[in-house]
Amino acid sequence: MDTEMISSQYLVMIVTGIVMGTMARIMTIKADYRQYPSYPNGYLIHLVTGFVAASLGAVAIPALMTKNFVAVTFLTVAIQQFRDVRKSERESLKDLENTEFAFRGDAYIDGISKTFESRNYFALIVALVSSLTIQIVNLEQIWLSILAAIVTGGLTFYIINRFSKGKSVGDIADVKQGEIEVKGSELFVDGIYVSNLLGSENAAKMFNDEGIAVVINPHEEHFRIGLDNFGQRQAILFEATRALGAKRYHFSRKEYDDGRIVITLIPIAGDINKLIHTVRNTPILESVKKSSKLMNTKFIGRE
């Protein structure tokens, strides 16, 4: 029985596309490491799904060139599978809510799961563009075709990666250390009332001795649209407690007059600089991007 072997050109096209797509997925893992529950298993899931997505993108062009149009329909199946990955990630993070120092919140979980899905499309698109480049340039020296594929694949990754990046809290607000003051059972930060739950002398002493706080002050009035959102404030509090731990209390409170946001806690690791850095780098959630002025992102990157 005769078997039809894949040509060397298509083999190079597929391998180059897979490598470029998988590398694109690897390069996005570091950017999102805070959002996933475990490093070893999380990395393995990312790598395997990224490899599969890259493989699907890499073989699409050879399938079309060999007039195997039925094979291209697997792309629609892949999209459904990636949606299932998003659903699985959402369910996994919700199951972990009760084990964290503070809740992520539904808004943050939704954004994380969408990011988890979209990174697979990064791999698929980069692999598709890389293999398409080899087919288009079709140079006699194969290494020149591979080089062209690397350049276009890298450029494609840069564009879609920059385009997909939103802003962080530090882009729309100032974050500075807040001064904690305890009056009886009431807690204040920079004169902003936070809580009246400090009913015991021990709780008041803990906040005076170990408590740290930051105050988030929006640059402009319309930036309050995002920062006042409960889901956004919950995401900030979650990142703060995840970075420093929470020995006992953690609070988030907004000041209604000028829109300042208070994040305060009694941490395990009392590093105020780390807290400021964490709050500044907390992403603005997609669910609160309701203003074009709030989220004006250019096609090739941030403003």
Side-chain angles (χ1 to χ4, degrees):
M1 182 177 179
D2 293 334
T3 57
E4 185 178 351
M5 300 295 293
I6 188 170
S7 69
S8 59
Q9 179 186 2
Y10 290 151
L11 184 60
V12 169
M13 190 183 303
I14 292 172
V15 172
T16 302
I18 290 175
V19 171
M20 289 297 297
T22 304
M23 287 300 299
R25 186 65 188 94
I26 292 174
M27 292 174 67
T28 59
I29 292 178
K30 183 178 179 181
D32 297 326
Y33 78 95
R34 297 171 304 144
Q35 299 181 350
Y36 300 104
S38 59
Y39 281 5
N41 292 331
Y43 281 155
L44 180 61
I45 293 172
H46 294 322
L47 292 175
V48 171
T49 55
F51 174 81
V52 171
S55 300
L56 294 173
V59 302
I61 300 302
L64 287 173
M65 296 307 299
T66 55
K67 298 182 180 181
N68 190 359
F69 301 112
V70 176
V72 182
T73 60
F74 60 71
L75 291 175
T76 59
V77 178
I79 292 175
Q80 182 58 48
Q81 292 299 316
F82 294 154
R83 290 184 181 275
D84 290 340
V85 167
R86 180 177 71 181
K87 180 181 178 181
S88 176
E89 185 70 9
R90 181 187 292 114
E91 292 174 350
S92 176
L93 292 177
K94 283 188 175 181
D95 289 341
L96 292 172
E97 280 285 75
N98 292 326
T99 68
E100 302 288 355
F101 291 113
F103 292 147
R104 286 183 178 86
D106 291 339
Y108 201 12
I109 289 176
D110 181 69
I112 293 171
S113 59
K114 286 180 179 178
T115 299
F116 189 77
E117 176 189 6
S118 68
R119 296 312 189 205
N120 293 315
Y121 297 130
F122 277 37
L124 190 150
I125 293 172
V126 170
L128 180 65
V129 170
S130 299
S131 60
L132 180 61
T133 300
I134 294 179
Q135 177 62 35
I136 292 175
V137 298
N138 196 22
L139 299 174
E140 293 184 1
Q141 293 180 308
I142 192 62
W143 68 271
L144 289 176
S145 296
I146 295 175
L147 181 61
I150 293 174
V151 172
T152 56
L155 182 61
T156 300
F157 171 74
Y158 175 80
I159 292 175
I160 60 178
N161 187 45
R162 295 290 294 177
F163 179 68
S164 67
K165 280 186 177 180
K167 295 189 178 183
S168 61
V169 172
D171 293 320
I172 66 173
D174 292 322
V175 182
K176 65 179 184 66
Q177 182 177 1
E179 182 179 350
I180 292 177
E181 183 180 5
V182 179
K183 300 178 181 178
S185 63
E186 296 182 338
L187 174 65
F188 296 83
V189 174
D190 278 11
I192 302 171
Y193 171 79
V194 176
S195 175
N196 63 354
L197 298 180
L198 306 184
S200 67
E201 182 178 341
N202 181 58
K205 185 176 184 301
M206 287 184 68
F207 250 108
N208 278 323
D209 295 343
E210 305 177 57
I212 59 176
V214 294
V215 177
I216 307 167
N217 191 19
H219 292 157
E220 299 178 30
E221 183 71 15
H222 61 264
F223 288 152
R224 292 181 59 181
I225 297 173
L227 291 176
D228 280 9
N229 183 276
F230 177 77
Q232 182 65 60
R233 290 188 288 119
Q234 187 64 36
I236 297 172
L237 184 62
F238 168 78
E239 289 296 345
T241 57
R242 187 169 191 180
L244 301 179
K247 184 178 293 187
R248 183 85 185 263
Y249 299 101
H250 49 79
F251 299 109
S252 170
R253 180 72 65 178
K254 65 179 178 179
E255 204 278 332
Y256 293 95
D257 292 334
D258 55 19
R260 288 180 296 167
I261 305 294
V262 171
I263 300 294
T264 183
L265 69 155
I266 300 176
I268 296 173
D271 188 341
I272 185 62
N273 292 325
K274 187 174 183 179
L275 176 60
I276 293 173
H277 176 79
T278 299
V279 172
R280 282 176 176 168
N281 286 278
T282 301
I284 300 297
L285 306 183
E286 287 191 2
S287 60
V288 305
K289 297 177 183 178
K290 298 179 174 66
S291 169
S292 59
K293 292 182 179 180
L294 177 66
M295 289 292 107
N296 190 4
T297 302
K298 292 183 179 180
F299 183 70
I300 59 174
R302 298 181 183 179
E303 283 194 319

